[in-house]
Amino acid sequence: MTVLVVDDHPVFREGFAALLGSIDDVEVVGTAATGAEAVEQAARHEPDVVVMDVSMPGMDGIEATRHILRERPETGVVVLTMSEEDGTIFEALRAGARGYLLKGAEPEEVVRAITTVAGGGVVFGAVLAGRITDFLAPRPQSGAATAFPGLTAREHEVLDLVAAGLSNGEIAARLFLSQKTVRNHVHAVLGKIQAADRAEAIIRGRDAGLGR
């Protein structure tokens, strides 16, 4: 199994590469400190797995993941980062990452994740996996179906998240949509429920039991 390690912190990058290199059947074919270097190294070495940080100067890890998988979709990307923000998690998923772990994970957990992803599987840390399951679970029907019968199922979802106070960017990450699509849905919802603005939509949605 060949692995490329990408992280802008040299001590972590080289230490983690040394750890992986000490494991039987794992070959570290390169390291990179930036997203641009990651794209170049991935093209050169064609690793089975890329262990990718998110926050790096210039091109970040999510954009680098998109570039790498666009050229070689069979590569497995495991994001290993400090960020547990919802937006970052879902942006990584949308970019094609098949693993997402926090840097506090035990080395054995990271190695298992890399092995699983190399075999075509998908892995997330236990805490993140629970949150992702919650996000993707269908939402129970509420009084909104009666209060706003003219809305489509997707528009109900959008209004629910608007009522919860989420921004368009956060809604886009939650529903795996582009921000442009979310803006269009919000505009349609405002018109259908006859809300003058987003603030009124929040009030009307909450009155109908949404956003909780």
Side-chain angles (χ1 to χ4, degrees):
M1 177 174 61
T2 57
V3 180
L4 171 66
V5 177
V6 184
D7 196 287
D8 65 333
H9 294 285
V11 174
F12 180 87
R13 181 178 67 248
E14 299 307 325
F16 189 68
L19 170 66
L20 291 179
S22 69
I23 299 171
D24 291 341
D25 300 324
V26 175
E27 178 187 1
V28 177
V29 293
T31 62
T34 68
E37 287 181 12
V39 173
E40 187 221 344
Q41 293 275 0
R44 179 185 304 172
H45 298 294
E46 298 187 343
D48 297 315
V49 178
V50 178
V51 179
M52 182 75 75
D53 191 16
V54 171
S55 298
M56 293 182 288
M59 181 190 296
D60 66 18
I62 291 174
E63 187 60 29
T65 296
R66 291 193 185 98
H67 280 275
I68 290 169
L69 297 182
R70 188 179 302 130
E71 297 301 319
R72 194 169 184 269
E74 64 269 31
T75 301
V77 176
V78 176
V79 171
L80 184 60
T81 180
M82 296 294 292
S83 176
E84 53 182 310
E85 295 180 359
D86 295 347
T88 303
I89 296 168
F90 284 98
E91 280 298 308
L93 291 178
R94 292 174 67 191
R98 297 208 305 269
Y100 197 108
L101 298 174
L102 300 178
K103 283 187 176 177
E106 294 295 328
E108 295 81 3
E109 182 182 1
V110 180
V111 172
R112 284 197 301 271
I114 292 170
T115 302
T116 300
V117 168
V122 178
V123 177
F124 302 97
V127 174
L128 299 180
R131 288 165 62 186
I132 290 168
T133 299
D134 288 342
F135 294 154
L136 297 181
R139 293 175 174 270
Q141 290 292 325
S142 70
T146 302
F148 310 116
L151 298 183
T152 65
R154 176 64 83 189
E155 288 165 352
H156 277 294
E157 284 186 292
V158 170
L159 179 56
D160 189 15
L161 296 175
V162 167
L166 274 65
S167 68
N168 284 358
E170 291 168 328
I171 294 172
R174 182 76 64 91
L175 299 180
F176 296 95
L177 300 172
S178 70
Q179 291 198 43
K180 180 179 179 182
T181 298
V182 171
R183 283 196 301 271
N184 290 340
H185 281 311
V186 171
H187 179 75
V189 166
L190 293 181
K192 288 183 178 182
I193 69 173
Q194 299 182 346
D197 52 28
R198 195 184 192 95
E200 184 177 349
I202 291 173
I203 294 170
R204 298 201 60 196
R206 290 181 178 175
D207 285 345
L210 295 179
R212 296 176 181 175

